[in-house]
Each structure stands twice: as C-alpha cells, then as structure tokens.
Amino acid sequence: MKKLLIVCVILSLGFKNKDASITTSEVMVTTEHPQLDFNKTSATSQFIRTTLYRGTLNETVNISLYLNEQEHPCGGNLTILSAMYKYDDQDKWLLLSVTTDALKKKYCLVEDYFTGVLFLEENGSHFNGTWISPNAKKQFKIELETVPADKSSIEKLDEILFDDLLYHKNDC
C-alpha cells in the first residue's frame, strides 16, 4: 500500500505546472470515409458478385434486375447488397433497398419510395418470387434468370446504380 501511495505522489508531482500558462493547439477532425474504388480489376475487386437477371413479372411484363454484392468495409461475413430493377419497355431504373436471409437465400427488395416490394428466393442462377403492391391488393409472380453481361455493361449498370440512383437518394 505504501508503494502505491509513493507511485501516486511521484506521478502527481510530474504533472504539476507552476507556470500555469495555457497553450493552444490545433486539432483537426475529419469525417471523411474512404471511398470504395469501383474501377478495380476483378483480381483485386471487393465485389463478390455483380449479376444481371432478366425475366418476367406476371408472366407478361419483361423486367431486368441488377444485383451488386460487395465486401463490407468492417470485414467479417458482412456484405453490402445494392440492387435496382426496371421494366424493359422503360428507361428508368428503380432503386431497391435489400434485406436478406443469405443462408436461406431469401430476399426482400423494397422499391424506393415504397411503390412495391419484391420477395424473391434464389435457386442457383434463378430468382423466383412475388411482387406486391403497397396496399397488398396486387400480387404478381416474378421469374428471373441470370444473363451474361460483359465488363462494359456491368460498368454502365454500376454507374447508374451508384452514381445516379444511390447518389441522388443520399444527396443532401
């Protein structure tokens, strides 16, 4: 106990400043986060998958769905899923908010501004499920399958997803 008291006294003597003058210092705080580099080559990419699906809504309306899955910056088993879809007879893509049970391969994709919800189940290279209107009065069957997409198509889809849809949604 005496040794502890002696150590405390010695430490407190070292902190006393008889001058008692106040000095100022500059502190810089940054809130910037590192940006993901979407131009990486596939060998070093943080992308887990970038997949284009095509199929039908209600067996008559042709649709396309683009899914982009990336490693989460925090690491571990976490991933970030971003998605969009469109009716093939229209140019405008609709942003989707994705929630998933990855183990069961089930996805809930909510259209931006809640104009509809897609409940999909992944089965190999296919998605099957249902589109439901916000009032739940309309429900349509969805069938999608993976289609090949070259690097330039994926880059264009990523540009629409990240630079247009997500940027504008999160822009102040």
Side-chain angles (χ1 to χ4, degrees):
M1 186 70 166
K2 288 182 184 180
K3 291 180 184 178
L4 180 62
L5 182 60
I6 293 171
V7 169
C8 289
V9 170
I10 292 172
L11 288 174
S12 67
L13 290 175
F15 289 110
K16 287 188 179 178
N17 186 354
K18 295 179 184 178
D19 219 2
S21 65
I22 299 174
T23 59
T24 61
S25 62
E26 291 183 30
V27 176
M28 186 169 100
V29 176
T30 179
T31 59
E32 293 180 21
H33 299 286
Q35 297 295 317
L36 294 175
D37 183 4
F38 297 112
N39 297 317
K40 291 184 176 183
T41 62
S42 60
T44 61
S45 178
Q46 294 181 5
F47 293 116
I48 295 171
R49 68 175 163 168
T50 53
T51 311
L52 179 62
Y53 298 88
R54 289 219 169 101
T56 58
L57 172 79
N58 200 27
E59 298 179 348
T60 57
V61 180
N62 292 326
I63 61 172
S64 297
L65 172 89
Y66 178 65
L67 184 68
N68 179 301
E69 186 173 10
Q70 307 171 42
E71 293 176 5
H72 197 283
C74 295
N77 292 332
L78 301 174
T79 63
I80 298 171
L81 282 165
S82 302
M84 63 182 180
Y85 90 109
K86 75 178 194 88
Y87 299 95
D88 288 349
D89 62 349
Q90 299 178 11
D91 291 331
K92 183 179 177 184
W93 286 87
L94 301 169
L95 182 63
L96 299 167
S97 176
V98 183
T99 304
T100 183
D101 181 343
L103 295 176
K104 294 181 181 176
K105 299 188 180 215
K106 295 184 181 215
Y107 298 79
C108 173
L109 302 106
V110 180
E111 294 176 10
D112 205 21
Y113 306 110
F114 192 56
T115 55
V117 179
L118 292 82
F119 290 99
L120 302 175
E121 187 168 349
E122 189 175 17
N123 185 6
S125 63
H126 295 80
F127 271 123
N128 296 305
T130 306
W131 177 89
I132 302 174
S133 66
N135 63 6
K137 291 185 179 182
K138 295 179 186 175
Q139 297 186 14
F140 300 120
K141 181 179 178 180
I142 294 178
E143 295 176 323
L144 299 163
E145 65 180 50
T146 304
V147 294
D150 60 14
K151 185 177 177 178
S152 66
S153 297
I154 294 296
E155 287 174 354
K156 184 176 181 182
L157 290 167
D158 281 339
E159 183 178 318
I160 294 167
L161 178 60
F162 294 107
D163 296 343
D164 294 340
L165 298 175
L166 285 169
Y167 176 81
H168 290 295
K169 177 183 171 105
N170 298 311
D171 187 28
C172 297

